[in-house]
Amino acid sequence: MRPLTQEETNTFFEKLSKYIGENIKLLIDRQDGSYCFRLHKERVYYMSEEQLKIGSSAAGETLLSIGSCFGKFTKSGKFHLHVTALDYLAPYAKHKVWLKPSAEQQFLYGHHIMKSGLGRLTEDTEQYQGVIVYNMNDLPLGFGVAAKSTQACRNCDPMTLVVFHQADTGQYIRDEDTLT
Amino acid sequence: MAESMVEGKQSLVDTVLSKAQDQQLKTTNVENEELIELDEGNLLAVNENKTDTKDFKKKKETILLSLTRDATQALFNSLWKLPVEQKDGAYLITLPESKTWMPREKPVPKKKAPTKWEEYAKTKGILNKKKSRMVWDEPSQQYKPRWGYQRANDDTKDWVIEVPDNADPYEDQFEKRKTAKKERVAKNELQRLRNVARSQKKKVPGIGLAPTEKPSKDHLSKALAVAHKSTASIGKFTDRLPKEKPSKFTGKKRKFEPSIGNLGSEKEKQLKVLDSVSKKIPTINVTKAANRMLRQDEEKRAQDKQSRKTPKKVKGRKASLGLGKPGRQGGGNKKTRGKRKR
């Protein structure tokens, strides 16, 4: 377990800022305790200082997971966000998408969102902007990437994809083995 | 009567033979067979019959042909005498061993020099006794390999080690065994490489880089770094060129910050990184700004158009009603005709 290097922090923050912008500051600087990011086996974990101290007694092969896993670094140095980060991204989301009840199931099974399933969408979302997906009762379902900007969404036909699926809470059941 | 019949038969044979001769079937007889050496194994026939030089000069081709024919015929005669088998309608003969000695294609291989171990074994009288791969392992009650992965009697895998009386009580016995194993492995590797170098007659440096004919860019930069450091004060006072950067090849393993370090400083560093990341995100939404500008331009143009608009010239009945007066705005509908304010 080790802290992230400069380059790794850079890549990680760039990815996070796509979803929550400069609200990452609220994750780093917290009033209710000092939290930190640590890297273990190519995965980034977010934990409090107490958890860190306890967790550092088990390290290497024996440590499976600590705190909340935000995602992992791939072999080529790119960062992939996992659904386990949703709890921390949802409150600070910049661009949101609300789904109709009919389209919820489709998204939770891992499919992309079509315009027909779109309930609401934040104004001035650019194309390929990171978005958090909510259901009509404001429950976070997952996150994705906007396939079309808000303007373009207005003019396109109902069968086009508007949001590309990246992670959803259904993965907690589907990908149980691989999530940490 | 019988005699005459025999004579008749004989004459029949003669007629057949003479017919054969008349039909010019070539004979299989070979004269001077003794001087034709045959080597059936190599399908070789050597005709050592001498020819008269004068005759040879006159009828070169015919003599050569007859000599060759004799030799070939003799060879085939001898081949047919060998045991014949039939296979798929074809006649097969197994050729005997060749009698001609052939010279070597390649030179005789040099004898390998005995290795260091072989010499040692010879002097000590150590024989190569075959040992079985699997050995009975008492603790796990099963057969395990003698060496290698999951071997029997692996002392690095003991979960309890008695501390010997004369040992330091604070010494880590487990770690001690692990380091001993690593040292043995490293020694073995070194020995192996030395053996290889010795057998291939190549020079291997103790530390640093092996000399090559065509060094790659990577090799050169490493060599430069090593040369920079190879001074009495280990490169502390070696000058660098004006634009030369310190080398990446420190020879050390990659070093990371400690896991439980100063959290405050860590936060500061992260905030700095965050600043640099936020700088990359454009603060102005370009498309929105552009759209706004365009809309403003359009509105302005629309207003200008309205102010320049001249009042419509009214003719006919409307004019009589007094609707064509300057300053009056045009427009309206049937209901307002005549009712609009003047």
Side-chain angles (χ1 to χ4, degrees):
Chain A
M1 187 159 59
R2 61 170 175 85
L4 296 154
T5 61
Q6 281 282 79
E7 296 86 29
E8 284 167 355
T9 324
N10 226 335
T11 334
F12 176 50
F13 281 179
E14 270 179 21
K15 195 58 187 254
L16 277 185
S17 64
K18 287 206 174 113
Y19 293 89
I20 57 179
E22 67 280 344
N23 291 335
I24 304 171
K25 214 184 304 176
L26 298 163
L27 281 175
I28 303 173
D29 255 335
R30 271 168 77 144
Q31 276 72 43
D32 57 338
S34 67
Y35 281 70
C36 59
F37 292 103
R38 286 289 181 271
L39 197 79
H40 177 63
K41 283 195 179 171
E42 301 311 310
R43 282 170 204 259
V44 176
Y45 295 95
Y46 181 62
M47 65 200 81
S48 63
E49 203 178 332
E50 299 81 42
Q51 286 176 327
L52 169 66
K53 285 188 181 155
I54 296 167
S56 58
S57 62
E61 290 259 319
T62 53
L63 184 68
L64 279 179
S65 175
I66 177 168
S68 314
C69 174
F70 262 48
K72 70 183 252 196
F73 279 98
T74 60
K75 291 248 162 89
S76 58
K78 298 194 169 74
F79 185 74
H80 282 176
L81 258 181
H82 287 179
V83 70
T84 39
L86 189 61
D87 291 329
Y88 297 96
L89 298 184
Y92 306 121
K94 287 242 148 185
H95 298 271
K96 304 179 184 176
V97 164
W98 286 264
L99 281 188
K100 287 184 193 159
S102 51
E104 254 176 64
Q105 273 285 59
Q106 284 293 308
F107 181 69
L108 288 174
Y109 274 116
H111 300 296
H112 302 300
I113 306 173
M114 287 197 287
K115 193 192 166 185
S116 52
L118 203 61
R120 263 157 56 198
L121 175 63
T122 0
E123 198 57 53
D124 61 72
T125 313
E126 288 138 32
Q127 201 179 23
Y128 308 132
Q129 174 80 40
V131 292
I132 312 279
V133 178
Y134 291 84
N135 106 352
M136 272 334 213
N137 305 333
D138 274 331
L139 189 73
L141 296 174
F143 43 86
V145 174
K148 294 207 174 346
S149 61
T150 324
Q151 278 283 55
C153 269
R154 291 200 187 109
N155 310 334
C156 65
D157 66 295
M159 294 315 274
T160 50
L161 295 176
V162 291
V163 175
F164 294 128
H165 167 283
Q166 296 242 296
D168 66 275
T169 45
Q171 282 180 334
Y172 280 110
I173 302 168
R174 290 201 310 273
D175 300 341
E176 210 180 328
D177 319 335
T178 51
L179 285 178
T180 52
Chain B
M1 186 60 173
E3 285 176 12
S4 64
M5 274 181 79
V6 170
E7 277 176 8
K9 274 186 188 166
Q10 274 194 332
S11 63
L12 178 65
V13 172
D14 288 334
T15 45
V16 167
L17 280 174
S18 60
K19 250 191 196 173
Q21 278 202 335
D22 290 338
Q23 282 174 11
Q24 295 192 344
L25 275 176
K26 293 170 186 168
T27 61
T28 56
N29 293 340
V30 182
E31 300 119 26
N32 308 322
E33 253 188 60
E34 300 83 24
L35 283 171
I36 299 176
E37 274 192 40
L38 297 168
D39 181 6
E40 286 93 5
N42 278 16
L43 291 177
L44 175 71
V46 184
N47 192 343
E48 287 169 4
N49 283 315
K50 290 186 185 163
T51 49
D52 190 27
T53 15
K54 283 184 196 169
D55 273 342
F56 189 73
K57 281 181 187 171
K58 282 186 214 167
K59 315 175 241 179
K60 199 186 273 184
E61 284 299 311
T62 45
I63 289 175
L64 279 176
L65 198 63
S66 66
L67 285 174
T68 325
R69 180 255 155 207
D70 288 340
T72 327
Q73 189 62 66
L75 180 64
F76 272 91
N77 290 345
S78 70
L79 284 179
W80 278 113
K81 286 178 191 153
L82 295 171
V84 183
E85 348 170 315
Q86 268 210 332
K87 203 173 182 187
D88 299 333
Y91 291 98
L92 289 178
I93 308 170
T94 324
L95 294 174
E97 285 280 321
S98 72
K99 293 177 210 160
T100 347
W101 172 81
M102 295 289 199
R104 282 184 76 88
E105 185 196 336
K106 294 195 171 96
V108 180
K110 285 174 271 187
K111 266 195 171 175
K112 276 195 222 177
T115 63
K116 241 183 141 183
W117 166 253
E118 281 175 4
E119 288 168 6
Y120 181 76
K122 208 170 167 188
T123 54
K124 288 276 182 175
I126 300 167
L127 297 167
N128 187 14
K129 284 183 213 154
K130 277 284 182 185
K131 291 181 186 139
S132 62
R133 178 83 202 274
M134 304 303 254
V135 177
W136 178 251
D137 181 40
E138 201 54 54
S140 60
Q141 294 286 306
Q142 53 171 277
Y143 278 97
K144 281 192 173 171
R146 190 187 288 273
W147 44 266
Y149 181 63
Q150 285 178 351
R151 57 184 173 278
N153 310 322
D154 189 356
D155 65 351
T156 52
K157 296 277 196 299
D158 279 338
W159 53 271
V160 65
I161 302 175
E162 274 182 36
V163 177
D165 291 333
N166 54 354
D168 174 21
Y170 291 101
E171 195 182 18
D172 188 350
Q173 297 295 327
F174 297 100
E175 209 51 49
K176 193 174 165 189
R177 283 196 184 173
K178 272 194 183 169
T179 48
K181 171 78 185 166
K182 280 189 185 156
E183 278 170 15
R184 273 179 275 138
V185 168
K187 180 185 171 236
N188 190 306
E189 185 63 21
L190 178 68
Q191 305 274 49
R192 185 183 75 84
L193 288 174
R194 266 203 281 155
N195 285 339
V196 164
R198 194 190 311 120
S199 69
Q200 291 183 356
K201 302 271 189 317
K202 279 189 193 162
K203 289 204 171 183
V204 180
I207 39 154
L209 307 162
T212 51
E213 288 273 291
K214 288 184 187 172
S216 63
K217 182 179 172 187
D218 192 45
H219 193 277
L220 271 177
S221 46
K222 267 190 193 165
L224 184 63
V226 169
H228 190 272
K229 237 199 310 187
S230 316
T231 57
S233 30
I234 318 179
K236 198 167 170 185
F237 301 110
T238 1
D239 298 320
R240 282 196 195 275
L241 291 174
K243 283 194 182 172
E244 197 184 336
K245 291 176 222 169
S247 167
K248 289 190 283 179
F249 301 109
T250 50
K252 288 187 192 136
K253 270 173 89 170
R254 205 178 153 185
K255 205 172 177 192
F256 299 112
E257 299 289 308
S259 182
I260 309 179
N262 188 353
L263 279 181
S265 67
E266 201 186 308
K267 270 189 201 165
E268 277 173 27
K269 276 189 214 164
Q270 284 185 336
L271 286 171
K272 267 191 196 168
V273 173
L274 186 58
D275 283 335
S276 69
V277 167
S278 337
K279 274 184 202 161
K280 287 186 195 169
I281 307 165
T283 44
I284 313 167
N285 187 345
V286 183
T287 43
K288 209 175 177 183
N291 285 342
R292 197 173 291 166
M293 286 302 289
L294 287 170
R295 232 186 306 132
Q296 277 184 356
D297 286 341
E298 272 183 35
E299 278 175 9
K300 208 181 170 192
R301 250 186 277 136
Q303 277 186 352
D304 288 341
K305 256 194 173 173
Q306 281 196 336
S307 62
R308 274 191 276 115
K309 198 175 180 182
T310 51
K312 259 186 177 177
K313 199 176 180 187
V314 187
K315 296 172 186 171
R317 204 154 44 82
K318 283 188 190 172
S320 58
L321 285 171
L323 292 171
K325 286 192 182 150
R328 178 153 326 280
Q329 291 291 319
N333 55 21
K334 286 183 190 173
K335 284 185 186 172
T336 60
R337 200 181 291 162
K339 287 179 192 171
R340 288 184 73 220
K341 273 188 180 175
R342 298 183 193 182

